[in-house]
Amino acid sequence: MTGEAPLLQMALRVEQDIFLIRQRGREVAAAVGLEHQDQIRFATALSEVARDLLRTADGADVTFVVVAGADGRSVLRVDLTPLAPLPGDRYEPQSGAVARLVDTLSVVGMEGDTVVRMSRRVPATAAALTAARLAELREKLGHSAPASALDELATQNEQLIAALDEVRRQRDELTVLNSELEETNRGVMALYTQLSEELEETNRGVVALYAELDEKSAQLRAASESKSRFLANVSHELRAPVTAIIGLGRLLTDPASDPLTAEQAEQIGLIRSSAADLLSLVNDLLDLAKAESGRIEPQWADVDLKALFGQLRGTLRALATASAVELVVEDPPAPAVLRADEVLLAQVLRNLLHNALKFTQQGEVRLRAERDADRWRFSVSDTGAGIAPELHERIFEEFYQVPGTDRRSGTGLGLPYARRVVNLLGGSMTLTSEPGRGSTFTVDLPADGV
Ligand code: ADP
């Protein structure tokens, strides 16, 4: 079964042999490379088993052998073949702790005999146990003279003291380790508590912040709604009296009415033009308020761009002929159809063209439409004064007019309204401009509407 040649064989017959076996066991353990502590464990287990077998089986034949373990590492093994059969063919060490001193302690059947077998693995750090090395060890162990039982007793005592010392040292180490561990645990717990408190604190802050944010945006929404409502109501209420003023002014200056002095006629003219300005402001405000409150509902339809452009050309030519500016409305590329609200789109383009003509002294104003996949892009470009880059967003704010603009020429509400309307139609409005070289307002709309 093993085939390995034994390192050493001994006979266990009398009490003294126990000492001898113990001593030689330690020698073998040392020779094959077990560490000091393991040598003692091994020898102690061996002598305990030997004592048991001398008592229960009148002695045994003891064989030391080195075999290869499952993982390729060497294993030191001792087979103790009892002289008389073991009671029930079983072996139970007197002390249960004995089995723990070695890797295995068991009873095996070998060539008809029942053998008590114990083994211990040789550490990987030990020198390799080649066949040559084993032969050398065998030779050496065969020659070394066994010491007397008294010597072995003395050695055993020394070892016992050393083992006790070792146990005490280990216990001390364990105590230190335990207290360190306790300390660390306390630290970790404190850190954990602190962290979770901080987390809770932060969470509370975030929750409060969100609540505040929600509240603020609700307030903002309410404020914006009441502003729109206020603007709509006021402008609506103002429209009737202003229209009445204009009508009365017209009546007064009618040739069929009583003649006026030149002075009176001029003053009535001023009243009429102021009232007309006021009416256009009121109308713009009303439009913007409607757009802001979402009360404008686009009437979606297929818009014939060619027709729409023709209309714009006609209505704006009157404005252009008065100045040195040429108005060019390009023909849109076919098929010139777009799904949108015709009235709103016309309002936006008219507004942009109107501005362009208003702010251009010479050169041209051009309206162009381009189709790009599923989008239509309308651009209104002029050769006017242009707008400084830092004002490109500001001119879309309500009532904003570029400093130096003739205040009487408008209300500052046209662009914010136009942008809102374009957004309602599912598009966007952008501006590119270089001061001194003109501006281009671009309206980008989905060809198929929203
Ligand atoms: P309004 O034309 O009634 O003043 P808008 O909202 O239409 O109001 O325009 C805001 C301001 O933007 C104008 O007052 C003007 O200063 C500037 N602006 C608009 N269009 C042009 C343009 N084509 N060229 C130069 N400035 C412009």
Short mmCIF file of all heavy atoms in Angstrom, two decimals, residues 251-316:
data_model
loop_
_atom_site.label_atom_id
_atom_site.label_comp_id
_atom_site.label_asym_id
_atom_site.label_seq_id
_atom_site.Cartn_x
_atom_site.Cartn_y
_atom_site.Cartn_z
N LEU A 251 -63.18 112.77 -35.42
CA LEU A 251 -64.41 113.57 -35.61
C LEU A 251 -64.10 115.07 -35.59
O LEU A 251 -64.56 115.83 -36.45
CB LEU A 251 -65.39 113.27 -34.48
CG LEU A 251 -66.52 112.29 -34.78
CD1 LEU A 251 -67.44 112.18 -33.57
CD2 LEU A 251 -67.32 112.77 -36.00
N LEU A 252 -63.25 115.44 -34.61
CA LEU A 252 -62.94 116.86 -34.45
C LEU A 252 -62.22 117.42 -35.68
O LEU A 252 -62.43 118.56 -36.06
CB LEU A 252 -62.07 117.09 -33.20
CG LEU A 252 -62.82 117.06 -31.86
CD1 LEU A 252 -61.84 117.15 -30.71
CD2 LEU A 252 -63.80 118.24 -31.79
N THR A 253 -61.35 116.61 -36.28
CA THR A 253 -60.57 117.09 -37.42
C THR A 253 -61.30 116.84 -38.75
O THR A 253 -60.77 117.15 -39.81
CB THR A 253 -59.18 116.43 -37.47
OG1 THR A 253 -59.36 115.03 -37.30
CG2 THR A 253 -58.26 116.95 -36.39
N ASP A 254 -62.49 116.26 -38.67
CA ASP A 254 -63.25 115.98 -39.90
C ASP A 254 -63.64 117.30 -40.58
O ASP A 254 -64.08 118.24 -39.90
CB ASP A 254 -64.50 115.19 -39.53
CG ASP A 254 -65.18 114.56 -40.73
OD1 ASP A 254 -65.74 115.30 -41.55
OD2 ASP A 254 -65.10 113.31 -40.85
N PRO A 255 -63.44 117.41 -41.88
CA PRO A 255 -63.76 118.68 -42.58
C PRO A 255 -65.24 119.06 -42.40
O PRO A 255 -65.57 120.25 -42.42
CB PRO A 255 -63.49 118.34 -44.05
CG PRO A 255 -62.65 117.12 -44.04
CD PRO A 255 -62.91 116.41 -42.78
N ALA A 256 -66.08 118.03 -42.12
CA ALA A 256 -67.49 118.34 -41.96
C ALA A 256 -67.80 118.98 -40.61
O ALA A 256 -68.87 119.56 -40.42
CB ALA A 256 -68.31 117.06 -42.13
N SER A 257 -66.85 118.87 -39.66
CA SER A 257 -67.08 119.46 -38.33
C SER A 257 -66.79 120.95 -38.35
O SER A 257 -66.27 121.49 -39.34
CB SER A 257 -66.19 118.78 -37.31
OG SER A 257 -66.37 117.41 -37.34
N ASP A 258 -67.02 121.55 -37.18
CA ASP A 258 -66.72 122.98 -37.08
C ASP A 258 -65.24 123.20 -37.31
O ASP A 258 -64.42 122.41 -36.84
CB ASP A 258 -67.09 123.49 -35.67
CG ASP A 258 -68.60 123.49 -35.48
OD1 ASP A 258 -69.31 123.47 -36.52
OD2 ASP A 258 -69.05 123.48 -34.31
N PRO A 259 -64.88 124.29 -38.02
CA PRO A 259 -63.45 124.52 -38.28
C PRO A 259 -62.68 124.80 -36.98
O PRO A 259 -63.21 125.35 -36.04
CB PRO A 259 -63.46 125.74 -39.20
CG PRO A 259 -64.77 126.39 -39.01
CD PRO A 259 -65.74 125.35 -38.58
N LEU A 260 -61.43 124.38 -36.99
CA LEU A 260 -60.56 124.56 -35.80
C LEU A 260 -59.52 125.61 -36.13
O LEU A 260 -59.17 125.81 -37.31
CB LEU A 260 -59.86 123.26 -35.45
CG LEU A 260 -60.72 122.04 -35.12
CD1 LEU A 260 -59.84 120.80 -35.06
CD2 LEU A 260 -61.43 122.23 -33.80
N THR A 261 -58.96 126.21 -35.13
CA THR A 261 -57.82 127.10 -35.37
C THR A 261 -56.62 126.19 -35.68
O THR A 261 -56.63 125.00 -35.35
CB THR A 261 -57.49 127.97 -34.15
OG1 THR A 261 -57.05 127.09 -33.11
CG2 THR A 261 -58.71 128.76 -33.70
N ALA A 262 -55.57 126.76 -36.31
CA ALA A 262 -54.37 125.98 -36.65
C ALA A 262 -53.77 125.37 -35.39
O ALA A 262 -53.35 124.20 -35.37
CB ALA A 262 -53.36 126.88 -37.35
N GLU A 263 -53.75 126.12 -34.33
CA GLU A 263 -53.22 125.68 -33.04
C GLU A 263 -53.99 124.46 -32.54
O GLU A 263 -53.38 123.43 -32.17
CB GLU A 263 -53.38 126.85 -32.04
CG GLU A 263 -52.96 126.56 -30.61
CD GLU A 263 -51.44 126.70 -30.40
OE1 GLU A 263 -50.78 127.26 -31.28
OE2 GLU A 263 -50.94 126.18 -29.38
N GLN A 264 -55.35 124.58 -32.56
CA GLN A 264 -56.19 123.48 -32.09
C GLN A 264 -55.98 122.23 -32.95
O GLN A 264 -55.86 121.11 -32.44
CB GLN A 264 -57.67 123.89 -32.14
CG GLN A 264 -58.06 124.83 -31.02
CD GLN A 264 -59.48 125.37 -31.22
OE1 GLN A 264 -59.94 125.59 -32.37
NE2 GLN A 264 -60.17 125.61 -30.12
N ALA A 265 -55.90 122.45 -34.28
CA ALA A 265 -55.73 121.30 -35.18
C ALA A 265 -54.43 120.56 -34.87
O ALA A 265 -54.37 119.32 -34.84
CB ALA A 265 -55.72 121.77 -36.64
N GLU A 266 -53.38 121.33 -34.57
CA GLU A 266 -52.09 120.70 -34.26
C GLU A 266 -52.19 119.89 -32.95
O GLU A 266 -51.70 118.76 -32.86
CB GLU A 266 -51.01 121.76 -34.16
CG GLU A 266 -49.61 121.18 -34.28
CD GLU A 266 -48.54 122.17 -33.89
OE1 GLU A 266 -48.69 123.37 -34.23
OE2 GLU A 266 -47.56 121.73 -33.25
N GLN A 267 -52.85 120.50 -31.96
CA GLN A 267 -52.96 119.81 -30.66
C GLN A 267 -53.81 118.53 -30.79
O GLN A 267 -53.46 117.48 -30.22
CB GLN A 267 -53.55 120.76 -29.62
CG GLN A 267 -52.50 121.74 -29.15
CD GLN A 267 -53.09 122.90 -28.38
OE1 GLN A 267 -54.30 123.07 -28.30
NE2 GLN A 267 -52.20 123.75 -27.83
N ILE A 268 -54.88 118.64 -31.56
CA ILE A 268 -55.70 117.44 -31.76
C ILE A 268 -54.88 116.36 -32.47
O ILE A 268 -54.93 115.17 -32.13
CB ILE A 268 -56.97 117.75 -32.59
CG1 ILE A 268 -57.84 118.80 -31.91
CG2 ILE A 268 -57.76 116.46 -32.88
CD1 ILE A 268 -58.67 118.30 -30.76
N GLY A 269 -54.04 116.79 -33.43
CA GLY A 269 -53.16 115.84 -34.15
C GLY A 269 -52.24 115.11 -33.17
O GLY A 269 -52.05 113.88 -33.24
N LEU A 270 -51.68 115.88 -32.22
CA LEU A 270 -50.80 115.28 -31.20
C LEU A 270 -51.56 114.28 -30.34
O LEU A 270 -51.06 113.18 -30.06
CB LEU A 270 -50.20 116.38 -30.31
CG LEU A 270 -48.98 117.11 -30.87
CD1 LEU A 270 -48.54 118.20 -29.91
CD2 LEU A 270 -47.83 116.13 -31.09
N ILE A 271 -52.78 114.69 -29.96
CA ILE A 271 -53.60 113.79 -29.13
C ILE A 271 -53.86 112.49 -29.90
O ILE A 271 -53.70 111.38 -29.36
CB ILE A 271 -54.95 114.45 -28.75
CG1 ILE A 271 -54.70 115.61 -27.78
CG2 ILE A 271 -55.90 113.42 -28.13
CD1 ILE A 271 -55.93 116.40 -27.44
N ARG A 272 -54.18 112.63 -31.20
CA ARG A 272 -54.49 111.43 -31.99
C ARG A 272 -53.28 110.50 -32.12
O ARG A 272 -53.39 109.28 -31.97
CB ARG A 272 -54.98 111.83 -33.39
CG ARG A 272 -56.43 112.21 -33.42
CD ARG A 272 -56.89 112.48 -34.82
NE ARG A 272 -56.88 111.29 -35.64
CZ ARG A 272 -57.14 111.29 -36.96
NH1 ARG A 272 -57.41 112.43 -37.57
NH2 ARG A 272 -57.13 110.17 -37.64
N SER A 273 -52.08 111.10 -32.38
CA SER A 273 -50.92 110.20 -32.57
C SER A 273 -50.51 109.56 -31.25
O SER A 273 -50.10 108.39 -31.19
CB SER A 273 -49.76 110.92 -33.26
OG SER A 273 -48.97 111.59 -32.30
N SER A 274 -50.65 110.32 -30.13
CA SER A 274 -50.34 109.72 -28.82
C SER A 274 -51.29 108.56 -28.53
O SER A 274 -50.89 107.50 -28.03
CB SER A 274 -50.44 110.75 -27.70
OG SER A 274 -49.50 111.76 -27.88
N ALA A 275 -52.56 108.83 -28.84
CA ALA A 275 -53.56 107.79 -28.59
C ALA A 275 -53.28 106.55 -29.45
O ALA A 275 -53.44 105.41 -28.99
CB ALA A 275 -54.96 108.33 -28.85
N ALA A 276 -52.82 106.80 -30.71
CA ALA A 276 -52.51 105.66 -31.60
C ALA A 276 -51.34 104.85 -31.02
O ALA A 276 -51.36 103.61 -31.01
CB ALA A 276 -52.19 106.16 -32.99
N ASP A 277 -50.30 105.57 -30.50
CA ASP A 277 -49.16 104.89 -29.86
C ASP A 277 -49.66 104.05 -28.68
O ASP A 277 -49.26 102.89 -28.51
CB ASP A 277 -48.14 105.92 -29.34
CG ASP A 277 -47.31 106.50 -30.47
OD1 ASP A 277 -47.41 105.98 -31.60
OD2 ASP A 277 -46.59 107.49 -30.23
N LEU A 278 -50.51 104.68 -27.86
CA LEU A 278 -51.03 104.00 -26.68
C LEU A 278 -51.80 102.75 -27.09
O LEU A 278 -51.65 101.68 -26.48
CB LEU A 278 -51.94 104.97 -25.90
CG LEU A 278 -52.36 104.50 -24.51
CD1 LEU A 278 -51.15 104.21 -23.66
CD2 LEU A 278 -53.23 105.58 -23.84
N LEU A 279 -52.59 102.87 -28.15
CA LEU A 279 -53.38 101.72 -28.59
C LEU A 279 -52.47 100.58 -29.04
O LEU A 279 -52.71 99.41 -28.71
CB LEU A 279 -54.32 102.13 -29.74
CG LEU A 279 -55.27 101.02 -30.19
CD1 LEU A 279 -56.21 100.61 -29.05
CD2 LEU A 279 -56.09 101.46 -31.41
N SER A 280 -51.37 100.95 -29.75
CA SER A 280 -50.49 99.86 -30.21
C SER A 280 -49.79 99.20 -29.01
O SER A 280 -49.60 97.99 -28.99
CB SER A 280 -49.52 100.34 -31.30
OG SER A 280 -48.29 100.67 -30.75
N LEU A 281 -49.44 100.02 -27.98
CA LEU A 281 -48.84 99.44 -26.77
C LEU A 281 -49.84 98.49 -26.09
O LEU A 281 -49.50 97.37 -25.69
CB LEU A 281 -48.43 100.56 -25.81
CG LEU A 281 -47.96 100.11 -24.42
CD1 LEU A 281 -46.67 99.33 -24.51
CD2 LEU A 281 -47.79 101.29 -23.48
N VAL A 282 -51.07 98.98 -25.99
CA VAL A 282 -52.10 98.17 -25.33
C VAL A 282 -52.31 96.86 -26.09
O VAL A 282 -52.41 95.78 -25.49
CB VAL A 282 -53.42 98.98 -25.22
CG1 VAL A 282 -54.58 98.06 -24.87
CG2 VAL A 282 -53.28 100.06 -24.18
N ASN A 283 -52.35 96.96 -27.42
CA ASN A 283 -52.53 95.75 -28.24
C ASN A 283 -51.37 94.78 -28.06
O ASN A 283 -51.57 93.57 -27.91
CB ASN A 283 -52.67 96.12 -29.71
CG ASN A 283 -54.07 96.65 -30.00
OD1 ASN A 283 -55.01 96.34 -29.26
ND2 ASN A 283 -54.22 97.45 -31.04
N ASP A 284 -50.13 95.34 -28.08
CA ASP A 284 -48.95 94.48 -27.88
C ASP A 284 -49.01 93.78 -26.52
O ASP A 284 -48.72 92.59 -26.40
CB ASP A 284 -47.65 95.31 -27.96
CG ASP A 284 -47.31 95.67 -29.39
OD1 ASP A 284 -48.06 95.23 -30.30
OD2 ASP A 284 -46.30 96.38 -29.61
N LEU A 285 -49.36 94.55 -25.49
CA LEU A 285 -49.44 93.98 -24.14
C LEU A 285 -50.46 92.85 -24.09
O LEU A 285 -50.22 91.80 -23.49
CB LEU A 285 -49.84 95.06 -23.13
CG LEU A 285 -48.73 95.89 -22.52
CD1 LEU A 285 -49.30 96.96 -21.61
CD2 LEU A 285 -47.79 94.98 -21.71
N LEU A 286 -51.58 93.11 -24.71
CA LEU A 286 -52.65 92.10 -24.71
C LEU A 286 -52.17 90.82 -25.40
O LEU A 286 -52.38 89.71 -24.91
CB LEU A 286 -53.87 92.67 -25.42
CG LEU A 286 -55.19 91.95 -25.17
CD1 LEU A 286 -55.49 91.90 -23.68
CD2 LEU A 286 -56.32 92.63 -25.92
N ASP A 287 -51.50 91.01 -26.56
CA ASP A 287 -50.96 89.84 -27.29
C ASP A 287 -50.00 89.05 -26.41
O ASP A 287 -50.10 87.82 -26.29
CB ASP A 287 -50.20 90.32 -28.54
CG ASP A 287 -51.16 90.69 -29.66
OD1 ASP A 287 -52.35 90.32 -29.55
OD2 ASP A 287 -50.72 91.34 -30.62
N LEU A 288 -49.05 89.79 -25.79
CA LEU A 288 -48.02 89.12 -24.99
C LEU A 288 -48.66 88.38 -23.81
O LEU A 288 -48.31 87.24 -23.51
CB LEU A 288 -47.01 90.16 -24.49
CG LEU A 288 -45.78 89.58 -23.83
CD1 LEU A 288 -44.98 88.74 -24.80
CD2 LEU A 288 -44.91 90.71 -23.27
N ALA A 289 -49.61 89.08 -23.14
CA ALA A 289 -50.27 88.46 -21.98
C ALA A 289 -50.97 87.17 -22.40
O ALA A 289 -50.91 86.16 -21.71
CB ALA A 289 -51.26 89.43 -21.37
N LYS A 290 -51.59 87.22 -23.57
CA LYS A 290 -52.29 86.03 -24.06
C LYS A 290 -51.30 84.89 -24.34
O LYS A 290 -51.52 83.75 -23.95
CB LYS A 290 -53.03 86.37 -25.36
CG LYS A 290 -54.46 86.79 -25.15
CD LYS A 290 -55.21 86.60 -26.46
CE LYS A 290 -56.08 87.79 -26.78
NZ LYS A 290 -56.33 87.95 -28.21
N ALA A 291 -50.19 85.26 -25.00
CA ALA A 291 -49.19 84.24 -25.34
C ALA A 291 -48.61 83.64 -24.07
O ALA A 291 -48.42 82.42 -23.96
CB ALA A 291 -48.09 84.85 -26.20
N GLU A 292 -48.33 84.50 -23.08
CA GLU A 292 -47.72 84.02 -21.82
C GLU A 292 -48.66 83.12 -21.05
O GLU A 292 -48.24 82.15 -20.44
CB GLU A 292 -47.31 85.20 -20.95
CG GLU A 292 -45.95 85.74 -21.33
CD GLU A 292 -45.42 86.71 -20.30
OE1 GLU A 292 -46.18 87.12 -19.41
OE2 GLU A 292 -44.23 87.04 -20.42
N SER A 293 -49.94 83.46 -21.02
CA SER A 293 -50.85 82.67 -20.21
C SER A 293 -51.31 81.43 -20.96
O SER A 293 -52.15 80.68 -20.48
CB SER A 293 -52.05 83.51 -19.79
OG SER A 293 -52.72 83.93 -20.96
N GLY A 294 -50.74 81.22 -22.15
CA GLY A 294 -51.07 80.01 -22.91
C GLY A 294 -52.47 80.08 -23.48
O GLY A 294 -53.07 79.05 -23.79
N ARG A 295 -53.00 81.28 -23.58
CA ARG A 295 -54.37 81.37 -24.09
C ARG A 295 -54.42 81.46 -25.61
O ARG A 295 -55.50 81.58 -26.18
CB ARG A 295 -55.10 82.55 -23.44
CG ARG A 295 -55.87 82.10 -22.20
CD ARG A 295 -56.71 83.20 -21.64
NE ARG A 295 -55.87 84.23 -21.04
CZ ARG A 295 -56.25 85.51 -20.93
NH1 ARG A 295 -57.39 85.90 -21.40
NH2 ARG A 295 -55.44 86.38 -20.36
N ILE A 296 -53.22 81.46 -26.25
CA ILE A 296 -53.23 81.44 -27.71
C ILE A 296 -53.21 79.98 -28.15
O ILE A 296 -52.32 79.23 -27.76
CB ILE A 296 -51.99 82.16 -28.29
CG1 ILE A 296 -52.07 83.64 -27.94
CG2 ILE A 296 -51.91 81.95 -29.79
CD1 ILE A 296 -50.95 84.46 -28.53
N GLU A 297 -54.19 79.59 -28.89
CA GLU A 297 -54.21 78.21 -29.40
C GLU A 297 -54.01 78.24 -30.89
O GLU A 297 -54.88 78.72 -31.61
CB GLU A 297 -55.55 77.57 -29.07
CG GLU A 297 -55.66 77.24 -27.59
CD GLU A 297 -56.39 75.94 -27.37
OE1 GLU A 297 -56.84 75.33 -28.36
OE2 GLU A 297 -56.49 75.54 -26.21
N PRO A 298 -52.87 77.74 -31.38
CA PRO A 298 -52.60 77.80 -32.82
C PRO A 298 -53.69 77.04 -33.60
O PRO A 298 -54.13 75.98 -33.18
CB PRO A 298 -51.25 77.10 -32.96
CG PRO A 298 -50.64 77.15 -31.61
CD PRO A 298 -51.75 77.14 -30.64
N GLN A 299 -54.11 77.61 -34.68
CA GLN A 299 -55.04 76.93 -35.59
C GLN A 299 -54.19 76.26 -36.66
O GLN A 299 -53.75 76.91 -37.60
CB GLN A 299 -55.98 77.96 -36.25
CG GLN A 299 -56.78 78.80 -35.27
CD GLN A 299 -57.75 77.96 -34.46
OE1 GLN A 299 -58.49 77.16 -35.04
NE2 GLN A 299 -57.73 78.12 -33.14
N TRP A 300 -53.92 74.97 -36.49
CA TRP A 300 -53.01 74.30 -37.40
C TRP A 300 -53.66 74.08 -38.77
O TRP A 300 -54.79 73.63 -38.86
CB TRP A 300 -52.59 72.95 -36.83
CG TRP A 300 -51.82 73.09 -35.56
CD1 TRP A 300 -52.32 72.94 -34.29
CD2 TRP A 300 -50.45 73.42 -35.43
NE1 TRP A 300 -51.33 73.17 -33.36
CE2 TRP A 300 -50.16 73.47 -34.04
CE3 TRP A 300 -49.43 73.71 -36.32
CZ2 TRP A 300 -48.91 73.79 -33.54
CZ3 TRP A 300 -48.17 74.01 -35.82
CH2 TRP A 300 -47.93 74.05 -34.45
N ALA A 301 -52.91 74.41 -39.81
CA ALA A 301 -53.39 74.20 -41.18
C ALA A 301 -52.17 74.20 -42.10
O ALA A 301 -51.08 74.61 -41.70
CB ALA A 301 -54.35 75.32 -41.57
N ASP A 302 -52.38 73.72 -43.34
CA ASP A 302 -51.28 73.78 -44.31
C ASP A 302 -51.17 75.21 -44.82
O ASP A 302 -52.12 75.76 -45.36
CB ASP A 302 -51.56 72.83 -45.48
CG ASP A 302 -51.32 71.39 -45.06
OD1 ASP A 302 -50.61 71.19 -44.04
OD2 ASP A 302 -51.84 70.47 -45.73
N VAL A 303 -50.00 75.79 -44.58
CA VAL A 303 -49.80 77.19 -44.97
C VAL A 303 -49.09 77.23 -46.32
O VAL A 303 -48.03 76.61 -46.50
CB VAL A 303 -48.96 77.93 -43.90
CG1 VAL A 303 -48.75 79.37 -44.32
CG2 VAL A 303 -49.64 77.84 -42.55
N ASP A 304 -49.69 77.99 -47.28
CA ASP A 304 -49.07 78.16 -48.60
C ASP A 304 -48.07 79.32 -48.47
O ASP A 304 -48.46 80.49 -48.40
CB ASP A 304 -50.17 78.46 -49.62
CG ASP A 304 -49.59 78.72 -51.00
OD1 ASP A 304 -48.35 78.77 -51.13
OD2 ASP A 304 -50.40 78.87 -51.94
N LEU A 305 -46.79 78.96 -48.42
CA LEU A 305 -45.77 79.99 -48.16
C LEU A 305 -45.68 81.02 -49.29
O LEU A 305 -45.41 82.19 -49.06
CB LEU A 305 -44.41 79.33 -47.94
CG LEU A 305 -44.25 78.57 -46.62
CD1 LEU A 305 -42.87 77.95 -46.53
CD2 LEU A 305 -44.48 79.51 -45.44
N LYS A 306 -45.88 80.53 -50.52
CA LYS A 306 -45.77 81.45 -51.67
C LYS A 306 -46.80 82.58 -51.52
O LYS A 306 -46.48 83.76 -51.67
CB LYS A 306 -46.00 80.67 -52.97
CG LYS A 306 -45.35 81.30 -54.18
CD LYS A 306 -45.26 80.27 -55.29
CE LYS A 306 -45.31 80.85 -56.68
NZ LYS A 306 -44.48 81.98 -56.98
N ALA A 307 -48.04 82.17 -51.17
CA ALA A 307 -49.10 83.16 -51.01
C ALA A 307 -48.79 84.09 -49.84
O ALA A 307 -48.94 85.32 -49.93
CB ALA A 307 -50.43 82.45 -50.78
N LEU A 308 -48.32 83.47 -48.73
CA LEU A 308 -48.02 84.27 -47.53
C LEU A 308 -46.94 85.31 -47.82
O LEU A 308 -47.04 86.48 -47.43
CB LEU A 308 -47.58 83.34 -46.40
CG LEU A 308 -47.14 84.01 -45.10
CD1 LEU A 308 -48.30 84.74 -44.46
CD2 LEU A 308 -46.59 82.99 -44.12
N PHE A 309 -45.90 84.88 -48.55
CA PHE A 309 -44.79 85.79 -48.87
C PHE A 309 -45.27 86.94 -49.76
O PHE A 309 -44.85 88.08 -49.62
CB PHE A 309 -43.63 85.03 -49.54
CG PHE A 309 -42.72 84.35 -48.53
CD1 PHE A 309 -43.20 83.93 -47.32
CD2 PHE A 309 -41.37 84.15 -48.83
CE1 PHE A 309 -42.37 83.31 -46.39
CE2 PHE A 309 -40.53 83.55 -47.91
CZ PHE A 309 -41.03 83.11 -46.68
N GLY A 310 -46.18 86.59 -50.72
CA GLY A 310 -46.74 87.61 -51.62
C GLY A 310 -47.46 88.68 -50.83
O GLY A 310 -47.28 89.88 -51.05
N GLN A 311 -48.22 88.20 -49.83
CA GLN A 311 -48.98 89.12 -48.96
C GLN A 311 -48.04 90.06 -48.21
O GLN A 311 -48.27 91.27 -48.16
CB GLN A 311 -49.72 88.25 -47.96
CG GLN A 311 -51.15 88.61 -47.73
CD GLN A 311 -51.71 87.56 -46.76
OE1 GLN A 311 -51.55 86.35 -46.98
NE2 GLN A 311 -52.33 88.02 -45.71
N LEU A 312 -46.97 89.46 -47.63
CA LEU A 312 -46.01 90.27 -46.86
C LEU A 312 -45.35 91.31 -47.76
O LEU A 312 -45.15 92.47 -47.38
CB LEU A 312 -44.93 89.36 -46.23
CG LEU A 312 -45.40 88.49 -45.07
CD1 LEU A 312 -44.32 87.49 -44.69
CD2 LEU A 312 -45.74 89.36 -43.86
N ARG A 313 -45.00 90.86 -48.98
CA ARG A 313 -44.34 91.77 -49.93
C ARG A 313 -45.23 92.99 -50.17
O ARG A 313 -44.78 94.12 -50.10
CB ARG A 313 -44.07 91.01 -51.24
CG ARG A 313 -42.96 91.60 -52.06
CD ARG A 313 -42.77 90.82 -53.36
NE ARG A 313 -42.09 89.53 -53.17
CZ ARG A 313 -42.59 88.35 -53.49
NH1 ARG A 313 -43.81 88.27 -54.00
NH2 ARG A 313 -41.89 87.26 -53.32
N GLY A 314 -46.54 92.71 -50.36
CA GLY A 314 -47.50 93.78 -50.65
C GLY A 314 -47.64 94.75 -49.49
O GLY A 314 -47.52 95.96 -49.67
N THR A 315 -47.84 94.21 -48.28
CA THR A 315 -48.14 95.11 -47.16
C THR A 315 -46.92 95.90 -46.71
O THR A 315 -47.05 97.00 -46.17
CB THR A 315 -48.68 94.35 -45.94
OG1 THR A 315 -47.82 93.26 -45.68
CG2 THR A 315 -50.08 93.83 -46.19
N LEU A 316 -45.73 95.34 -46.90
CA LEU A 316 -44.55 96.04 -46.37
C LEU A 316 -43.87 96.94 -47.40
O LEU A 316 -43.00 97.74 -47.03
CB LEU A 316 -43.54 95.02 -45.82
CG LEU A 316 -44.02 94.37 -44.51
CD1 LEU A 316 -43.29 93.08 -44.23
CD2 LEU A 316 -43.86 95.33 -43.33
#
